[in-house]
Amino acid sequence: MIVCSCNVITEDNIKECLNGKERQPSVGTILKELGCSQVCGTCSNNIVNIVREHYGSIEMTTDDPISSFIRRNGKYCHL
């Protein structure tokens, strides 16, 4: 499934990026590791959901990068 149409990133691309990581990376880190940058930000919510599913976390801890991102910005679509 295409998660980001601006950068043509698939769900599999994101899951491959997450493999072997102990900590949950931020959306920005994931995009950077995939050699991309944020264009419109619409994909952020989908990326966060894939990360949550991968790590089996429904609620994020307060010190994880994605929770900090959500808390700072109030919504997923801004990095």
Side-chain angles (χ1 to χ4, degrees), residues 3-5 7 9 27 31 38 40-48:
V3 174
C4 176
S5 56
N7 291 299
I9 298 172
V27 173
L31 291 174
Q38 182 187 11
C40 75
T42 306
C43 64
S44 297
N45 189 34
N46 289 332
I47 293 172
V48 168

Side-chain angles (χ1 to χ4, degrees), residues 24 35 37 48 58 65 72:
Q24 299 173 358
S37 61
V48 168
I58 295 169
R72 277 194 315 271

Side-chain angles (χ1 to χ4, degrees), residues 12-13 16 20 32 39 43-45 57 62-65 69 73:
D12 288 339
N13 295 139
E16 287 173 20
K32 188 175 183 178
V39 178
C43 64
S44 297
N45 189 34
S57 57
T62 56
D63 63 341
D64 104 60
F69 157 73
N73 297 299

Side-chain angles (χ1 to χ4, degrees), residues 2-69:
I2 297 287
V3 174
C4 176
S5 56
C6 297
N7 291 299
V8 192
I9 298 172
T10 65
E11 184 173 354
D12 288 339
N13 295 139
I14 294 169
K15 288 180 179 179
E16 287 173 20
C17 183
L18 297 175
N19 286 336
K21 289 187 176 41
E22 291 183 26
R23 291 187 49 105
Q24 299 173 358
S26 67
V27 173
T29 299
I30 292 169
L31 291 174
K32 188 175 183 178
E33 287 186 21
L34 292 172
C36 303
S37 61
Q38 182 187 11
V39 178
C40 75
T42 306
C43 64
S44 297
N45 189 34
N46 289 332
I47 293 172
V48 168
N49 288 334
I50 292 167
V51 171
R52 285 181 171 175
E53 181 181 305
H54 180 83
Y55 288 96
S57 57
I58 295 169
E59 282 191 44
M60 308 298 256
T61 60
T62 56
D63 63 341
D64 104 60
I66 292 177
S67 290
S68 299
F69 157 73

